[in-house]
Amino acid sequence: MTHSAGPGEAWAACYFLATRIYRVAGQDPRESAARASRRTTWNLHTSDTDTLVTTLIALALHSAALDMAHERQAPAAAGIGEIPLNTIAEHLHTRPRHEFFAGAPYLNAQAPATRAVAALRLLAYTAKQPAPLTMEHLAIDARLTVLAAARSAHPEGTVGSL
């Protein structure tokens, strides 16, 4: 990506890379079995769970990209591939969920995961049960997925190394 890439391009790159992270993690049979088990335990077995988890990974990656861009005084799309997978996992573990949406760009109806972002936003801002618990379970699933991808990554352990 060039330094002139806009916020929509940074989001598109993050979503593409999140899809790749999810796919790499799913290639490990142990991770796939563990994912199925935890989703059964948490009652997260809807057809949209994969999309929600992938989108949450994209939001965490986008958040990390914005942090890095701020530190470097560069566009968010610059250097996304250099972000360590462990940083994304850490964002999923420690960052308040509503902060993922603070820097998210406006997504038009044709953008990838527009509905998933809207659903996650509802889960993040809903105070009634079981929404907060569901959001936490999705975040844990996303974090464990990123860590599984990190174990499969090249020695650099970055998004770009997958």
Side-chain angles (χ1 to χ4, degrees):
M1 303 217 113
T2 66
H3 287 289
S4 62
E9 293 172 82
W11 168 254
C14 289
Y15 190 77
F16 170 79
L17 291 166
T19 302
R20 188 175 179 124
I21 290 167
Y22 192 84
R23 193 171 36 245
V24 167
Q27 292 172 352
D28 178 352
R30 291 172 300 185
E31 170 54 25
S32 293
R35 180 186 298 165
S37 176
R38 55 178 183 262
R39 287 182 180 181
T40 298
T41 301
W42 293 334
N43 200 24
L44 288 178
H45 45 75
T46 69
S47 60
D48 293 331
T49 301
D50 292 344
T51 302
L52 291 172
V53 169
T54 301
T55 303
L56 197 49
I57 293 168
L59 286 165
L61 176 55
H62 192 262
S63 173
L66 291 176
D67 287 354
M68 187 173 73
H70 179 72
E71 289 171 12
R72 294 182 176 181
Q73 296 296 301
I80 289 175
E82 300 170 24
I83 296 172
L85 290 163
N86 288 334
T87 298
I88 301 164
E90 186 65 23
H91 276 241
L92 287 161
H93 182 64
T94 61
R95 183 129 311 168
R97 307 299 169 233
H98 65 275
E99 288 185 12
F100 290 143
F101 305 103
Y106 169 77
L107 301 174
N108 63 34
Q110 291 76 37
T114 300
R115 290 188 338 196
V117 169
L120 289 167
R121 189 175 271 132
L122 282 173
L123 288 171
Y125 288 106
T126 299
K128 297 183 181 186
Q129 295 290 352
L133 188 57
T134 300
M135 184 61 157
E136 276 312 299
H137 287 156
L138 290 168
I140 291 167
D141 194 62
R143 180 175 179 267
L144 293 172
T145 298
V146 172
L147 291 173
R151 287 189 297 272
S152 302
H154 296 282
E156 301 91 47
T158 62
V159 175
S161 67
L162 293 178

